[in-house]
Amino acid sequence: MAPSFRPLLLLLASLLIMQTMAAEAETCTDCFIHSRAAYYPNSDEQGTDSGACGFGSFGATLNGGDVSAASDLYRGGIGCGACYQVRCTSSNYCTDKGVTIIITDQGSSHDTDFILSKQAFGRMAQNSDAAASLLALGVIDIEYRRVSCSYPNKNITIKIDENSNHPHYLAFVIWYQQGKRDITAVQLCETQNFVCKLLDRSYGAVWTTTSPPSGPLTLRMLFSGEDGDETWVIPVNNIPQDWKAGETYDTGVQVNG
């Protein structure tokens, strides 16, 4: 090979490697993203029972209390129920595993993506002394990535809001959202003639409708992935005709994709 061609080939090879690395960075869904995190300074060890996702007291103890508020990741409520692996970056205090949290609220502080429960914040540490040091810092550098939510022996469940008024107004929140995809739309359908009505996202994970369909109702949920894939999921169990405010109903399905 003529020596004059070698610099050109080396340049082309370098450009190809850089393009490949850039493409992998753009498509990587499992890569960690650098950010910052704080914790609820006035909270108990677990989360808040008045979060912006509408989970209520259930949201304070969900995932054993390892929960968090999110800023941009709240995404107008679409991010409610999403799971993230969060780990701090100091080798003096932090573990490689970090903690898995669930988004149950909206909030930001000091350019953070997460405001963790006090318990979850401490779980990123190597031991109790390291946890005390992290809590003393208040705001720390972290890295995070989205992970699949898992609730063994639990099906997706809906909780009818206390303000619902049968048969004129129906509002409910979705619990135990498994997998790594978002619920981006919800429909209610009459089981006899399959007439469906698209619900409104009131806020967070709360879906509402005035004049809901009558009779036993079939729920349809649209699960959307980061890759653009969308799937309508129809639960096994129906919402009974005489649904009541405050009641919970097991849909009979798990969606782990």
Side-chain angles (χ1 to χ4, degrees), residues 17-207:
I17 292 172
M18 291 175 65
Q19 289 176 349
T20 302
M21 292 175 63
E24 289 176 349
E26 290 178 358
T27 58
C28 179
T29 57
D30 292 323
C31 295
F32 282 95
I33 299 170
H34 293 282
S35 183
R36 289 165 64 79
Y39 68 93
Y40 287 102
N42 299 321
S43 73
D44 295 328
E45 288 290 317
Q46 299 178 328
T48 176
D49 59 3
S50 58
C53 288
F55 292 133
S57 58
F58 171 79
T61 58
L62 181 63
N63 194 37
D66 289 341
V67 296
S68 178
S71 51
D72 293 342
L73 295 173
Y74 179 77
R75 293 178 292 142
I78 294 176
C80 289
C83 295
Y84 291 88
Q85 180 185 0
V86 182
R87 62 187 189 187
C88 50
T89 58
S90 171
S91 59
N92 293 326
Y93 303 129
C94 308
T95 65
D96 291 335
K97 183 179 179 181
V99 64
T100 298
I101 58 89
I102 299 175
I103 301 301
T104 60
D105 196 5
Q106 180 185 27
S108 63
S109 174
H110 302 286
D111 298 320
T112 62
D113 274 306
F114 299 94
I115 303 179
L116 303 172
S117 65
K118 189 175 181 181
Q119 171 182 288
F121 199 86
R123 285 193 192 277
M124 293 187 290
Q126 297 172 5
N127 51 51
S128 58
D129 289 339
S133 297
L134 290 181
L135 291 168
L137 291 172
V139 180
I140 57 174
D141 292 325
I142 56 101
E143 52 187 15
Y144 71 90
R145 64 181 177 184
R146 188 163 183 183
V147 295
S148 182
C149 296
S150 177
Y151 302 100
N153 304 316
K154 294 288 187 181
N155 295 322
I156 294 176
T157 300
I158 67 167
K159 165 69 183 298
I160 307 295
D161 188 87
E162 299 288 353
N163 294 317
S164 295
N165 181 19
H166 186 283
H168 307 292
Y169 173 73
L170 174 60
F172 59 82
V173 63
I174 298 176
W175 289 357
Y176 303 121
Q177 176 184 332
Q178 297 106 337
K180 201 176 176 180
R181 294 186 290 172
D182 300 317
I183 299 176
T184 53
V186 175
Q187 289 183 335
L188 275 180
C189 305
E190 296 181 6
T191 56
Q192 293 183 348
N193 55 24
F194 215 65
V195 173
C196 298
K197 185 172 185 178
L198 188 66
L199 305 190
D200 298 317
R201 185 189 294 274
S202 177
Y203 70 97
V206 179
W207 299 86

